[in-house]
Amino acid sequence: MSEALVEITGLTKDFGQTRAVDNASFAIRRGETFGLVGESGSGKSTIASMLLCLTKPTAGEIFFHGKRIDQLSTRELAPYRKDMQLVMQDPISSLNRRKKVQDIIGLPLALHHGLPGGKRTDRIVQLLELVGLSADYLSRYPHELSGGQCQRVSIARSLSINPEFLVLDESVSAVDVLIQAQILNLLNNLQDEFGLTYLFVSHDLAVVRYMCDRIAVMQAGRILEVSDRDDIFSPRAHEYTRALIAASPASLAAKASTTPPLQMEKSP
Ligand SMILES: Nc1ncnc2c1ncn2[C@@H]1O[C@H](COP(=O)(O)OP(=O)(O)OP(=O)(O)O)[C@@H](O)[C@H]1O
Ligand SMILES: [Mg+2]
């Protein structure tokens, strides 16, 4: 229990008549990448939002470092807020298009650290370098960046206040595969360097397999199973998990390229 950084028990969320999350429980260990997969609408983002205390659960409990946080007031929550950051689903549209990179990254620093101007710029340059960008980008606007560079800026912004826990919700699906691979490697390097813990939410099972130590599979608001990566991608996995993997684009592509065309014609 002591190794759990984040734990949820019996977490439930109703939106009117819709039960978006139904009695979900799991624990995320410190330093691991925990994957959350499942079809669209299965409740992944709702769980992520409750974990970050942005959505109030209908029932259940959320623990951070063993302390219950789901019932805290806004003021009591403040010290926890900076330890957990969200990296947006679509960083390109989530970056404020009227603000320069230095102001986008500098805003959380100003809010949480109150760093004075000069020190803040030093820190912003340091953050840019951390995500593979140079000081040249300080005065650029989002529309002057590529999709991958927007993601790097978004990651820099999330890291600016030294969080322990990052929630990455589909944060690499908006860019092409090569850029995606670079961002994933960047995330892995940052995790090693700073001992970060990730909740990685995605449809893309190939990416989840590459990134995650353990994976929770969701269907219609329920957690069907939580297993080590190798068990999820094995015949031991839950029937639904195997169906999900079989239906993923990577599996379909692999199947198409290994099935001899003649054999396909012979089937009845
Ligand atoms: N603010 C809201 N108000 C009403 N219903 C909501 C709200 N947010 C989510 N839902 C509903 O809750 C269910 C779960 O949504 P959620 O966004 O968590 O799914 P998801 O697994 O993240 O899907 P996707 O993979 O498409 O992002 C859906 O039926 C959705 O319509
Ligand atoms: Mg979602």
Side-chain angles (χ1 to χ4, degrees):
M1 198 64 93
S2 66
E3 59 178 343
L5 179 67
V6 180
E7 187 170 5
I8 63 172
T9 57
L11 209 57
T12 298
K13 180 65 189 181
D14 292 334
F15 290 113
Q17 303 285 28
T18 311
R19 178 146 291 189
V21 175
D22 188 1
N23 197 24
S25 302
F26 58 69
I28 302 175
R29 298 171 188 157
R30 193 183 301 208
E32 80 173 337
T33 299
F34 187 91
L36 194 53
V37 302
E39 61 200 17
S40 185
S42 57
K44 304 181 297 294
S45 295
T46 305
I47 287 194
S49 177
M50 288 191 285
L51 272 184
L52 293 163
C53 299
L54 301 172
T55 296
K56 205 156 181 51
T58 303
E61 301 175 343
I62 303 168
F63 299 88
F64 190 69
H65 279 295
K67 180 162 172 39
R68 188 163 174 193
I69 58 167
D70 56 278
Q71 295 183 316
L72 298 181
S73 68
T74 309
R75 201 170 55 83
E76 290 168 325
L77 207 53
Y80 295 94
R81 282 242 181 266
K82 63 184 190 49
D83 288 334
M84 346 179 172
Q85 290 291 309
L86 175 67
V87 177
M88 295 291 201
Q89 183 138 15
D90 179 3
I92 297 161
S93 61
S94 79
L95 298 180
N96 187 336
R97 42 198 309 127
R98 290 167 193 278
K99 291 220 184 310
K100 293 176 178 172
V101 165
Q102 59 190 11
D103 299 320
I104 291 170
I105 300 176
L107 183 64
L109 279 173
L111 286 178
H112 290 273
H113 283 223
L115 277 182
K119 283 236 169 62
R120 200 183 306 158
T121 306
D122 291 349
R123 174 74 178 139
I124 294 167
V125 171
Q126 192 188 22
L127 284 160
L128 279 174
E129 285 170 356
L130 210 51
V131 298
L133 298 173
S134 68
D136 298 345
Y137 290 85
L138 280 173
S139 52
R140 296 243 197 139
Y141 288 93
H143 73 267
E144 298 170 317
L145 302 173
S146 71
Q149 288 165 344
C150 282
Q151 290 198 318
R152 288 170 193 270
V153 168
S154 176
I155 292 168
R157 174 180 58 182
S158 302
L159 290 176
S160 64
I161 50 177
N162 300 316
E164 286 187 83
F165 178 55
L166 285 192
V167 174
L168 302 134
D169 192 347
E170 305 276 3
S171 51
V172 289
S173 48
V175 293
D176 74 55
V177 270
L178 272 179
I179 304 298
Q180 179 173 331
Q182 289 173 6
I183 301 285
L184 294 176
N185 287 329
L186 171 66
L187 289 170
N188 280 335
N189 292 340
L190 292 169
Q191 181 172 48
D192 289 346
E193 191 168 346
F194 299 108
L196 300 168
T197 303
Y198 292 156
L199 173 64
F200 199 91
V201 180
S202 183
H203 287 106
D204 188 332
L205 286 147
V207 168
V208 166
R209 185 176 199 170
Y210 180 68
M211 291 297 283
C212 299
D213 303 300
R214 292 188 309 132
I215 296 162
V217 181
M218 288 194 78
Q219 183 191 26
R222 299 223 171 109
I223 305 280
L224 288 186
E225 64 176 328
V226 179
S227 301
D228 289 345
R229 176 204 12 224
D230 292 343
D231 291 331
I232 290 284
F233 292 92
S234 84
R236 295 185 296 279
H238 192 286
E239 190 183 351
Y240 175 79
T241 305
R242 285 183 278 128
L244 199 65
I245 292 168
S248 75
S251 307
L252 292 175
K255 209 181 251 168
S257 65
T258 54
T259 309
L262 272 179
Q263 222 173 342
M264 282 171 68
E265 284 172 14
K266 262 200 293 183
S267 56

